[in-house]
Amino acid sequence: MRRSPQEITQLLCSSRAGDADAMAELLELVYADLRQLAARQLRRESPENTLSATALVHEAYLRLAGEAGPGFSDRQHFFRLIARAMRRIAIDHARRRLALKRGGGEHRTTWDDDKLGVDERAAMVVEIEQALERLRDGDPRLVQVVECRFFAGLSEAETAEALGCSRRTVQRDWEAARERLKRLLSD
């Protein structure tokens, strides 16, 4: 059952005011939506990815609870931070896979042609992260759009709502971000 944005915002306000039960109720309220976002994100990953939608949601929530605590200003802020947390988790996961590939594990392995795609995807995610950091210096909102659209798998309408802007702005920013990232990645 889909809840209204006002209910979510009210719970965030209650949490910010010190209501300890509000965050737990909020998580219960948006859990299905968060799992759906996580599943969209993971569909872009390799089938051999060991991260599940449930694990991604739980880890993102735990990171948010540790970083921001009850300081979410509104529903849009909450979903923006969830998108950013999912991005960071995907990047960390990719970096761990690359570290293992480069000898970070305890045993030596040989190249396996079937696993090469996983390593290439992990390397691509890390390259995208580096390009996003350079893009953030020029236009932080473009990075927010990428976090929402690519890493959290939000639609244009959901991204517009999360960022508090129009759908057309999201479309323009998404186009601009893809073009700039293409240039940054080809350099």
Side-chain angles (χ1 to χ4, degrees), residues 48-60:
E48 294 159 7
N49 185 2
T50 58
L51 195 59
S52 71
T54 301
L56 184 56
V57 168
H58 289 222
E59 190 169 341

Side-chain angles (χ1 to χ4, degrees), residues 103-173:
E106 294 183 14
H107 63 281
R108 185 177 177 154
T109 60
T110 60
W111 284 102
D112 182 353
D113 291 338
D114 294 336
K115 302 288 186 209
L116 191 56
V118 174
D119 294 336
E120 288 171 347
R121 283 186 181 158
M124 180 188 71
V125 169
V126 171
E127 286 176 29
I128 290 171
E129 170 64 9
Q130 292 166 348
L132 283 172
E133 289 305 316
R134 290 192 306 248
L135 183 61
R136 183 182 309 285
D137 294 337
D139 196 339
R141 191 176 71 196
L142 294 183
V143 175
Q144 290 178 329
V145 170
V146 172
E147 288 172 343
C148 289
R149 296 282 290 139
F150 182 77
F151 289 99
L154 297 178
S155 68
E156 289 175 351
E158 292 167 329
T159 299
E161 183 180 347
L163 298 178
C165 62
S166 72
R167 190 173 180 177
R168 181 63 188 129
T169 298
V170 168
Q171 290 169 341
R172 282 192 303 267
D173 286 352

Side-chain angles (χ1 to χ4, degrees), residues 19-33:
D19 183 351
D21 296 330
M23 278 309 282
E25 191 175 337
L26 173 69
L27 181 59
E28 185 178 321
L29 189 68
V30 298
Y31 188 77
D33 291 336

Side-chain angles (χ1 to χ4, degrees), residues 71-133:
F72 307 112
S73 57
D74 56 23
R75 181 179 184 274
Q76 292 85 2
H77 186 227
F78 175 75
F79 280 100
R80 272 196 315 268
L81 291 179
I82 282 286
R84 182 171 296 144
M86 286 183 183
R87 168 185 158 211
R88 289 178 182 161
I89 293 163
I91 298 304
D92 292 346
H93 194 69
R95 285 185 174 143
R96 280 192 299 273
R97 285 191 310 233
L98 285 175
L100 288 173
K101 172 189 161 195
R102 293 187 177 124
E106 294 183 14
H107 63 281
R108 185 177 177 154
T109 60
T110 60
W111 284 102
D112 182 353
D113 291 338
D114 294 336
K115 302 288 186 209
L116 191 56
V118 174
D119 294 336
E120 288 171 347
R121 283 186 181 158
M124 180 188 71
V125 169
V126 171
E127 286 176 29
I128 290 171
E129 170 64 9
Q130 292 166 348
L132 283 172
E133 289 305 316

